Amino acid sequence: HPPRETSPNHPGTHATDTLLELKQKVGSCIDEAKDRLHRLSKDIWSCPELAYEERKSHDRLVTFFSEEKGWTVDSHFKLETAFRAIWGPVGGKENNNVINVGFLSEYDALPGIGHACGHNLIAEIGAAAAIGLKALVEHTPDFPVPVQVTVLGTPAEEDGGGKIDLIRERAFDGMDVVFMAHPSQEDASWLPDVAEHDVIVRYHGKASHAAAYPWEGVNALDAAVLAYNNLSVLRQQLKPDWRIHGIIKHGGVKPNIIPAYTELEYYLRTPLRKDLPTIKAKAEMCFRAAAMATGCEVELEFARNAFHNVLRNPTLHGLYEVNGKALGMEFTTDEDVLKNTSGSTDFGNVSFIVPGIHPYFYIGSDALNHTEEYTVAAGDDKAQFYTLRAAKALAMTALDVLLCPELLQRAREELKEANLKEERALRGASEAKHCGGAAQH
């Protein structure tokens, strides 16, 4: 499926023809590797592993790049189950600045249902786009700019936020642009992934015989139930696009024992990271009120990493759409999909520090993510055509920014502007909270 069109941002017929030819070639390079890419994806799908425990999937990816000619592989890059593979720099004149193009691979699974979010396909896409771009640059005489291709294997997206750990370790330093793509039910260059912070809540009471002398007990299950109900009541006072959802993970051991210990886990989400402190404060009051009402002790453990919302980069998202359409993608126009909360990802934090995109792609199934049906779809051979098509669109978008420096500069400026907007919003939220607190006294 060679591209039928390309970005209108490249003036000059000869330049456009050259870019079209290169885009066709990068697609062919990916197709040439399709069998070994499929095996890579299938091996990861067949051995689902949880966050920070993805040892076999990690080792499979490390082996894959170690066996590909020309890659320098750091097997345990910053984290035990992370890796980095680098090729280049190659091309350009001696005085040109190297452009470091990054591709991300995820490979953790969900408890109980395996790769129900298709991270085996995300791993494959990162590998496919990277080796396709590398092969193209390597076999194009006098490629006009020096290029480095970097693949980061990023563990623990489903739980913990491995990319945030890697940001803290400065793993993204030096990257000029970063790409990944996520399986879904439709093709979309951007969806509103929201900010999220998770919390574990533990109530400590006192056990007692529930029939003989219940008055001697302090019921930690009552505290958990009250907290659950407090948050359910709170929802009507939350903004329509804020989300609180959770479970009781431990509710006691036996009906005739007053529960001395209970545990809940909650996810708190807002469309913008600036609102996370507000929703956290409201939830915390609900948790502590339940402890006060029952006489229990409460322990709140907020996750080490908070996920940020994904910043939109109009230049990169626009280029991806043009390239995707050239490959036959039909991007959704459904407003319910484009405007409603999609979920959360640690790529959001990456989007604040490096220009990048996290598009969604159809895999040939209408099954919903995080279901057993989607696990089956992610391992189906049918998904391969769509997965490689998304990889080609990413590699083609990388070519756009490599061969048109003003596009990369525009993407950088858009990131800078988005960050300034977010910083102003954060300051505004902080000032409003301070003024509101002062007004109450």
Side-chain angles (χ1 to χ4, degrees), residues 110-321:
L110 289 159
I113 52 176
H115 279 291
C117 213
H119 287 195
N120 60 302
L121 303 178
I122 298 177
E124 180 182 3
I125 280 187
I131 65 172
L133 183 61
K134 177 253 190 188
L136 173 78
V137 175
E138 191 173 37
H139 295 104
T140 301
D142 301 320
F143 194 82
V145 292
V147 181
Q148 178 174 307
V149 181
T150 300
V151 180
L152 277 186
T154 60
E157 190 276 339
E158 292 289 358
D159 185 13
K163 295 182 192 64
I164 306 169
D165 295 329
L166 289 169
I167 290 171
R168 196 176 291 117
E169 295 292 331
R170 307 185 70 87
F172 290 88
D173 286 7
M175 285 193 187
D176 292 290
V177 65
V178 63
F179 299 101
M180 66 172 291
H182 196 293
S184 185
Q185 295 77 48
E186 59 278 307
D187 288 307
S189 63
W190 181 85
L191 290 177
D193 289 295
V194 300
E196 176 188 346
H197 206 174
D198 304 343
V199 60
I200 299 289
V201 184
R202 300 180 180 93
Y203 289 105
H204 300 276
K206 179 184 177 184
S208 181
H209 196 292
Y213 27 86
W215 53 86
E216 296 289 342
V218 178
N219 197 319
L221 181 57
D222 284 348
V225 171
L226 282 177
Y228 189 95
N229 288 333
N230 288 347
L231 289 163
S232 295
V233 173
L234 173 66
R235 285 193 182 96
Q236 69 171 327
Q237 263 65 57
L238 297 180
K239 293 182 179 180
D241 48 6
W242 292 16
R243 297 287 185 270
I244 295 181
H245 41 103
I247 59 170
I248 298 176
K249 296 181 71 174
H250 185 82
V253 293
K254 210 168 185 293
N256 63 351
I257 303 173
I258 298 291
Y261 173 80
T262 53
E263 183 177 315
L264 303 91
E265 183 174 10
Y266 268 85
Y267 291 0
L268 313 176
R269 306 187 200 240
T270 57
L272 301 175
R273 64 173 181 168
K274 73 178 181 66
D275 293 318
L276 276 181
T278 302
I279 198 171
K280 284 171 60 180
K282 290 178 180 290
E284 185 169 344
M285 286 189 288
C286 291
F287 296 133
R288 294 195 183 281
M292 186 180 297
T294 57
C296 290
E297 299 292 325
V298 63
E299 176 188 351
L300 302 180
E301 182 186 343
F302 281 95
R304 179 179 71 256
N305 295 326
F307 289 23
H308 295 169
N309 50 291
V310 175
L311 292 180
R312 190 166 196 165
N313 192 292
T315 293
L316 296 178
H317 286 109
L319 292 168
Y320 179 84
E321 277 205 25

Side-chain angles (χ1 to χ4, degrees), residues 69-72 86-94 96-101 133-150 399 402-403:
K69 183 179 177 182
W71 292 89
T72 300
I86 292 176
W87 175 83
V90 169
K93 301 289 192 295
E94 186 175 337
N96 289 153
N97 292 324
V98 175
I99 299 178
N100 186 355
V101 179
L133 183 61
K134 177 253 190 188
L136 173 78
V137 175
E138 191 173 37
H139 295 104
T140 301
D142 301 320
F143 194 82
V145 292
V147 181
Q148 178 174 307
V149 181
T150 300
L399 282 173
L402 284 170
L403 297 176

